[in-house]
Amino acid sequence: MDNHLKIRPLKTDGIPTQIKDRLLVERRRRQIVDAAVQLFVKQGFHKTTTRQIARAAGFSIGSLYEYIASKEDVLYLVCEFIHAEVERGVTEALKRTGGTHNALAEVIRAYFLVCNRMSDFILLIYQETQCLPEQWKKKVLENELRITGLFVEVLARLSSEGHLPEMDDRALELAAHNISVLGHMWTFRRWFFSRHYAIEDYIRLQTDFILRTVCVKPEKTVKRASNIERPTSGLE
Amino acid sequence: MDNHLKIRPLKTDGIPTQIKDRLLVERRRRQIVDAAVQLFVKQGFHKTTTRQIARAAGFSIGSLYEYIASKEDVLYLVCEFIHAEVERGVTEALKRTGGTHNALAEVIRAYFLVCNRMSDFILLIYQETQCLPEQWKKKVLENELRITGLFVEVLARLSSEGHLPEMDDRALELAAHNISVLGHMWTFRRWFFSRHYAIEDYIRLQTDFILRTVCVKPEKTVKRASNIERPTSGLE
DNA sequence: ATTATCTATAGATCTATAGATAATGC
DNA sequence: ATTATCTATAGATCTATAGATAATGC
């Protein structure tokens, strides 16, 4: 739970500050994020007050507002931080994996472990993104899409190297979204899963699922599925 | 978007009221839910005031508090209502489907259409459940689990009738969760999907995925996936 | 008489800022 | 002199309730 203490530059452009010293802004905003992320996880965004954030960050409410212009700014900083952490986890995992056809299972495993480690944070994104002003909500969704994009790349590479059966772009894209969301599912159904599954069980079972959807030659099964569809299928 | 106007009894026991007439309580609470669900979807729970709810429901703030004891009570009523609607949609779809081996695709299709229709409401559950007091949060999660249970039943029936390959209980349970969540995914990634996919495309592609995970004889692929797993896998 | 509804407001916050003070660098 | 920080509070809400009023049924 102390993974947010790792030192990485925060991308905080676009948020106004009264303070000239860029480095100080950087440092203070990191303090703000570290304090806020824990409070938000425990109490939610709305029930957390700006005073609590300032106190937990170690300075006064007046100083807090030298580094941000509104409470929403804090939420945005927190969301940016969380996505940066998740993205770092996934890209590092990608670097570790070779180009073999094991790659997919390895990537899934690494990603699900990142999701497990950052469970509270991912949940926070799901719950509080709506509270952001439109302009930043959009940025958060772009972040989400970029992470999914990492999986698209892996799948595309494996596909081009012949380790996967041909899939059209759509199916491939959707598979990437499914991987993303099945990782998140571990976080937002944790209240159920954590009682019945160890993370390793979950990874194993879901990997089986995903590999089956992606690795089996589709001709036979896709046909079968398509025939099952109602004859009325088309546009509603 | 007016599906919440359908007349169904609300399960509202457990929330205190000052009013004696049970029927009136029933009617007024339906007004409250109809008003609140729209406001919550548009503004979120916290940004919606009790006054707004009262006004939209057509009575005064004083009267509102005769039928509920706190603002959280309203959120709980809304969550109960939403789950009742989703569950009704799914069970009705289950009734329509025969016991054939088409059943699964039909159920998925019906469920995804329910998710599409109730998109805003499902999103609301994801975002605001955390705001409920512990006791009601638990009830909401039970509701969620009961809906997933419907899919468990379908899969178990198909399995016992020999329409699915043998799966152990865990794999079957997880498949049910996956169906639930992939339906929800359409709602909480709608900002992306709705621009690139029609609901029918989404249903078709996801049905292919799910049927492949569930209908293909698992021996070959499961082995393959297991071998890919890291040797260190066990407890972390 | 009893039940339902309304108006008016107590009481408790909470965000954001103005203006005062302390620290830093030339 | 300039930059950073603090204290104190203006101003704006918002939930929940007390007490008054209207409607209903015996």
Side-chain angles (χ1 to χ4, degrees), chain A residues 81-128:
Chain A
F81 160 77
I82 291 173
H83 271 128
E85 282 296 298
V86 174
E87 192 170 357
R88 185 173 62 89
V90 177
T91 48
E92 282 185 3
L94 292 194
K95 266 183 268 166
R96 282 200 306 272
T97 62
T100 70
H101 77 296
N102 289 10
L104 187 54
E106 278 177 34
V107 169
I108 291 171
R109 185 168 194 280
Y111 170 62
F112 280 26
L113 288 175
V114 170
C115 287
N116 181 51
R117 186 161 53 86
M118 306 201 58
S119 216
D120 291 340
F121 303 161
I122 291 169
L123 206 53
L124 192 64
I125 298 257
Y126 271 83
Q127 287 165 346
E128 310 291 8

Side-chain angles (χ1 to χ4, degrees), chain A residues 32-64:
Chain A
I32 293 171
V33 167
D34 285 346
V37 79
Q38 298 195 50
L39 289 166
F40 290 170
V41 163
K42 213 186 312 176
Q43 311 175 339
F45 172 69
H46 277 104
K47 283 184 192 159
T48 301
T49 69
T50 49
R51 297 197 114 86
Q52 288 179 307
I53 296 168
R55 182 147 20 96
F59 36 76
S60 74
I61 179 74
S63 294
L64 179 67

Side-chain angles (χ1 to χ4, degrees), chain B residues 135-191:
Chain B
Q135 154 203 19
W136 287 332
K137 197 188 299 185
K138 208 176 143 198
K139 288 211 134 199
V140 168
L141 300 181
E142 280 167 15
N143 285 340
E144 203 63 58
L145 215 51
R146 202 173 53 250
I147 291 168
T148 302
L150 298 175
F151 299 124
V152 172
E153 279 171 32
V154 175
L155 290 172
R157 197 190 66 204
L158 290 174
S159 181
S160 76
E161 289 171 358
H163 294 121
L164 297 181
E166 292 105 82
M167 310 170 70
D168 65 35
D169 286 354
R170 288 225 153 164
L172 194 143
E173 184 179 59
L174 196 61
H177 279 274
N178 286 351
I179 293 170
S180 285
V181 168
L182 292 180
H184 294 170
M185 172 165 140
W186 172 258
T187 77
F188 58 64
R189 298 218 156 180
R190 193 159 190 163
W191 49 271

Side-chain angles (χ1 to χ4, degrees), chain B:
Chain B
M1 183 62 95
D2 55 357
N3 26 309
H4 54 282
L5 297 174
K6 300 223 183 77
I7 295 156
R8 320 193 63 239
L10 277 171
K11 215 193 70 198
T12 65
D13 310 330
I15 296 183
T17 174
Q18 309 305 320
I19 305 297
K20 318 271 167 158
D21 185 340
R22 301 302 296 164
L23 235 64
L24 183 60
V25 172
E26 190 65 41
R27 208 168 70 231
R28 290 276 181 269
R29 285 187 175 167
R30 191 182 314 284
Q31 287 176 271
I32 294 170
V33 167
D34 286 346
V37 80
Q38 298 195 51
L39 289 166
F40 290 170
V41 162
K42 213 186 313 176
Q43 313 175 338
F45 172 69
H46 278 105
K47 284 185 193 160
T48 301
T49 68
T50 48
R51 296 195 115 87
Q52 288 180 305
I53 296 168
R55 182 148 21 96
F59 36 76
S60 74
I61 179 73
S63 294
L64 178 66
Y65 277 91
E66 300 292 329
Y67 293 96
I68 49 140
S70 73
K71 194 183 166 191
E72 273 80 22
D73 286 354
V74 179
L75 181 57
Y76 177 64
L77 287 178
V78 165
C79 288
E80 278 289 335
F81 160 77
I82 290 173
H83 271 129
E85 283 296 299
V86 174
E87 191 170 358
R88 185 173 62 90
V90 178
T91 49
E92 281 184 5
L94 292 193
K95 263 183 271 166
R96 282 199 306 272
T97 62
T100 71
H101 77 299
N102 289 10
L104 187 54
E106 279 176 34
V107 168
I108 292 171
R109 184 168 194 282
Y111 171 63
F112 280 25
L113 288 175
V114 170
C115 287
N116 181 51
R117 186 160 54 85
M118 306 201 58
S119 216
D120 292 340
F121 303 160
I122 290 169
L123 206 53
L124 193 65
I125 298 256
Y126 270 83
Q127 287 165 346
E128 310 292 8
T129 300
Q130 51 144 356
C131 299
L132 288 170
E134 202 53 43
Q135 154 203 19
W136 287 332
K137 197 188 299 185
K138 208 176 143 198
K139 288 211 134 199
V140 168
L141 300 181
E142 280 167 15
N143 285 340
E144 203 63 58
L145 215 51
R146 202 173 53 250
I147 291 168
T148 302
L150 298 175
F151 299 124
V152 172
E153 279 171 32
V154 175
L155 290 172
R157 197 190 66 204
L158 290 174
S159 181
S160 76
E161 289 171 358
H163 294 121
L164 297 181
E166 292 105 82
M167 310 170 70
D168 65 35
D169 286 354
R170 288 225 153 164
L172 194 143
E173 184 179 59
L174 196 61
H177 279 274
N178 286 351
I179 293 170
S180 285
V181 168
L182 292 180
H184 294 170
M185 172 165 140
W186 172 258
T187 77
F188 58 64
R189 298 218 156 180
R190 193 159 190 163
W191 49 271
F192 173 78
F193 285 127
S194 68
R195 288 194 196 151
H196 302 82
Y197 296 72
I199 178 67
E200 288 294 342
D201 296 334
Y202 184 81
I203 291 174
R204 184 166 33 75
L205 285 164
Q206 290 292 36
T207 303
D208 287 357
F209 272 122
I210 296 167
L211 288 184
R212 241 182 287 169
T213 64
V214 165
C215 293
V216 174
K217 288 275 178 239
E219 286 74 17
K220 201 172 53 187
T221 47
V222 164
K223 277 275 170 46
R224 205 172 154 191
S226 297
N227 289 345
I228 287 169
E229 260 290 37
R230 293 188 163 189
T232 58
S233 77
L235 290 177
E236 264 210 304

Side-chain angles (χ1 to χ4, degrees), chain A:
Chain A
M1 183 61 98
D2 54 357
N3 27 305
H4 54 283
L5 297 174
K6 299 220 184 79
I7 295 157
R8 322 193 61 239
L10 275 172
K11 214 194 72 197
T12 64
D13 312 328
I15 296 183
T17 174
Q18 309 306 321
I19 305 297
K20 318 272 168 158
D21 184 343
R22 302 300 297 163
L23 234 64
L24 182 61
V25 172
E26 190 63 43
R27 209 169 68 232
R28 290 275 181 269
R29 284 187 177 168
R30 192 183 313 286
Q31 286 176 271
I32 293 171
V33 167
D34 285 346
V37 79
Q38 298 195 50
L39 289 166
F40 290 170
V41 163
K42 213 186 312 176
Q43 311 175 339
F45 172 69
H46 277 104
K47 283 184 192 159
T48 301
T49 69
T50 49
R51 297 197 114 86
Q52 288 179 307
I53 296 168
R55 182 147 20 96
F59 36 76
S60 74
I61 179 74
S63 294
L64 179 67
Y65 276 91
E66 300 292 329
Y67 295 95
I68 50 142
S70 74
K71 194 182 166 190
E72 273 80 20
D73 286 353
V74 179
L75 181 57
Y76 176 64
L77 287 178
V78 165
C79 288
E80 279 288 336
F81 160 77
I82 291 173
H83 271 128
E85 282 296 298
V86 174
E87 192 170 357
R88 185 173 62 89
V90 177
T91 48
E92 282 185 3
L94 292 194
K95 266 183 268 166
R96 282 200 306 272
T97 62
T100 70
H101 77 296
N102 289 10
L104 187 54
E106 278 177 34
V107 169
I108 291 171
R109 185 168 194 280
Y111 170 62
F112 280 26
L113 288 175
V114 170
C115 287
N116 181 51
R117 186 161 53 86
M118 306 201 58
S119 216
D120 291 340
F121 303 161
I122 291 169
L123 206 53
L124 192 64
I125 298 257
Y126 271 83
Q127 287 165 346
E128 310 291 8
T129 300
Q130 51 143 359
C131 299
L132 288 171
E134 202 53 43
Q135 155 202 18
W136 287 332
K137 198 189 299 187
K138 208 177 144 198
K139 288 211 132 200
V140 168
L141 300 181
E142 279 166 15
N143 285 340
E144 201 65 57
L145 215 51
R146 201 173 54 250
I147 291 168
T148 302
L150 298 175
F151 300 123
V152 172
E153 280 171 30
V154 176
L155 291 172
R157 197 191 65 204
L158 291 174
S159 182
S160 75
E161 290 171 357
H163 293 122
L164 295 181
E166 293 107 82
M167 309 171 71
D168 65 35
D169 286 354
R170 288 226 152 163
L172 194 142
E173 183 180 61
L174 196 62
H177 279 276
N178 286 350
I179 293 170
S180 283
V181 168
L182 292 179
H184 295 169
M185 173 166 142
W186 171 258
T187 77
F188 58 64
R189 297 217 157 182
R190 192 159 190 163
W191 50 269
F192 173 78
F193 286 127
S194 68
R195 287 195 197 150
H196 301 82
Y197 296 73
I199 178 65
E200 290 293 343
D201 296 334
Y202 184 81
I203 290 174
R204 184 166 34 75
L205 285 165
Q206 291 291 36
T207 303
D208 286 358
F209 272 122
I210 295 166
L211 288 185
R212 240 180 288 168
T213 62
V214 167
C215 293
V216 173
K217 288 273 178 242
E219 287 74 18
K220 199 172 56 188
T221 48
V222 164
K223 278 274 170 46
R224 204 172 153 192
S226 297
N227 290 344
I228 287 170
E229 260 290 39
R230 292 186 164 193
T232 58
S233 78
L235 291 176
E236 265 210 302

